[in-house]
Amino acid sequence: MSPSLHSRPRGRIRPLVLGLLLALAALLAAPAAGAGPARASRADQAATADRLTGALGAQAAGAYLDASGRLTVNVLGARAAAQVRAAGATPKLVTRSSASLEQVRAALDAAGTAPVGASWGVDLASNTVLVSVPAGAGAAFVAKARSFGPAVRVERTPAVHTQAFYGGQAILHGGSRCSAGFNTRSGSGRDYVLTAGHCANLGGTWTTSGGQTIGPVAASSFPGNDYGAIRISNPAALDPRGGVLHNGAFRDITGAGRVPVGSSACKTGSTTGTTCGTVQAYNVTVNYAEGTVSGLTRTSICTQPGDSGGALYAGSLAQGITSGGTVGGCSQAGFRSFFQPVGEALSTFGLTLL
């Protein structure tokens, strides 16, 4: 995979202010389409996964939803499997612990030989570290990955690129276009929109597609992370709301919380609008042309340049900020997209969702 950018400022941004003036009122009034499992069941599955993996400790090797939506917990022994069954989840006996796989992932992070566009992280379903490398590139990195034997699975895929405001609305600066993520507020009462760090890195003052001033970049982090924040200088004019643009309608975002691997989720962005898919992995590292970003969420959701900074959400729960995706069309085999978890941006900047 090889990174591709649209705009590359640093900072953490949030889904953009959805109701920008009266002109968007009609859009925001449209009915919201459904997006995956009900919030209650999703929250229950996440809580059960956390409870089980916490109770099992080192005997658990991660939890995820299988293709049929069943909560599956990787375990290292029969006693742990019995505990999982008693809790109403499905156990899967595996041979590699979470700690051992994370050690492999960390070693690849430190290798320093990854080609641009490569990504790697723990794949729970296969109980391996999945390494994706652009075809014809990275021979040394592939050799390093394969030195870990069956703990690593190498695949050749298209390259990955960063993607250049809202909960899906366009944000513009100096000829570059990104997407707004989530609207937030600081303890002092100031409002900020989160977006991608590679967008916020451009600095300056950002505007909406209608030419309205949003405000200046307040903070940015990229590479390493990929989040940024733009201060909303005139909230009375922009009317920032705590939601995203989902299929042309306002969808309320009520909080942030990580859903299990295998869950359905959607993203909204200024290029491809609302697209949905599956959360495939957490804590994934991607080597973009501008540098390496770690701790990303990998999904099957369609993203394209201009979507960068847009919001990833599951039901009413904020999940992440669009960072990048596979070069080329979303319909190609092996398409992947990557998102900066929103919780880290909120915590780092001391912000809360509107």
Side-chain angles (χ1 to χ4, degrees):
M1 311 181 127
S2 71
S4 107
L5 50 150
H6 205 66
S7 38
R8 318 214 162 198
R10 303 180 177 181
R12 54 213 213 313
I13 294 180
R14 217 162 190 300
L16 198 162
V17 200
L18 290 170
L20 304 175
L21 293 196
L22 300 176
L24 286 175
L27 267 179
L28 298 178
R39 292 195 295 267
S41 63
R42 184 180 289 113
D44 288 345
Q45 287 174 316
T48 300
D50 289 344
R51 185 174 67 252
L52 280 171
T53 54
L56 293 171
Q59 288 299 300
Y64 61 98
L65 302 185
D66 68 11
S68 65
R70 292 177 303 182
L71 178 61
T72 302
V73 182
N74 289 342
V75 295
L76 300 176
R79 181 175 296 181
Q83 288 181 251
V84 171
R85 287 193 196 92
T90 301
K92 179 180 178 182
L93 282 170
V94 297
T95 58
R96 288 174 282 271
S97 68
S98 292
S100 67
L101 292 176
E102 283 298 329
Q103 286 176 352
V104 172
R105 183 199 57 75
L108 293 175
D109 281 358
T113 55
V116 168
S119 66
W120 56 97
V122 174
D123 182 67
L124 294 178
S126 64
N127 189 226
T128 63
V129 174
L130 176 61
V131 176
S132 301
V133 182
F141 185 67
V142 169
K144 173 68 174 178
R146 286 181 170 152
S147 71
F148 293 100
V152 169
R153 182 161 58 95
V154 176
E155 63 176 9
R156 293 290 189 171
T157 63
V160 171
H161 62 282
T162 52
Q163 297 161 348
F165 167 103
Y166 254 12
Q169 293 175 324
I171 57 174
L172 309 170
H173 169 70
S176 295
R177 172 173 60 87
C178 286
S179 299
F182 301 92
N183 290 317
T184 64
R185 182 163 292 161
S186 69
S188 62
R190 288 187 172 182
D191 292 344
Y192 299 83
V193 61
L194 293 178
T195 192
H198 70 266
C199 296
N201 272 0
L202 296 177
T205 296
W206 290 70
T207 64
T208 69
S209 58
Q212 297 158 295
T213 297
I214 297 166
V217 169
S220 179
S221 180
F222 179 83
N225 303 298
D226 196 2
Y227 52 76
I230 297 171
R231 181 167 62 84
I232 301 173
S233 58
N234 191 351
L238 280 182
D239 184 22
R241 303 181 186 184
V244 298
L245 194 65
H246 177 85
N247 285 333
F250 179 82
R251 167 165 290 190
D252 192 24
I253 297 297
T254 61
R258 198 168 88 167
V259 296
V261 168
S263 298
S264 61
C266 298
K267 83 96 193 51
T268 180
S270 63
T271 298
T272 57
T274 301
T275 55
C276 302
T278 302
V279 174
Q280 298 176 328
Y282 291 111
N283 201 25
V284 174
T285 302
V286 176
N287 191 34
Y288 293 128
E290 304 88 342
T292 299
V293 178
S294 59
L296 297 178
T297 301
R298 189 184 76 224
T299 81
S300 63
I301 299 169
C302 174
T303 59
Q304 291 293 292
D307 287 331
S308 284
L312 175 69
Y313 50 98
S316 66
L317 293 177
Q319 301 294 309
I321 301 161
T322 304
S323 174
T326 301
V327 173
C330 294
S331 61
Q332 65 183 322
F335 182 87
R336 302 279 172 75
S337 52
F338 300 87
F339 298 83
Q340 166 71 52
V342 71
E344 182 181 356
L346 294 173
S347 175
T348 299
F349 293 122
L351 301 173
T352 56
L353 297 172
L354 286 183

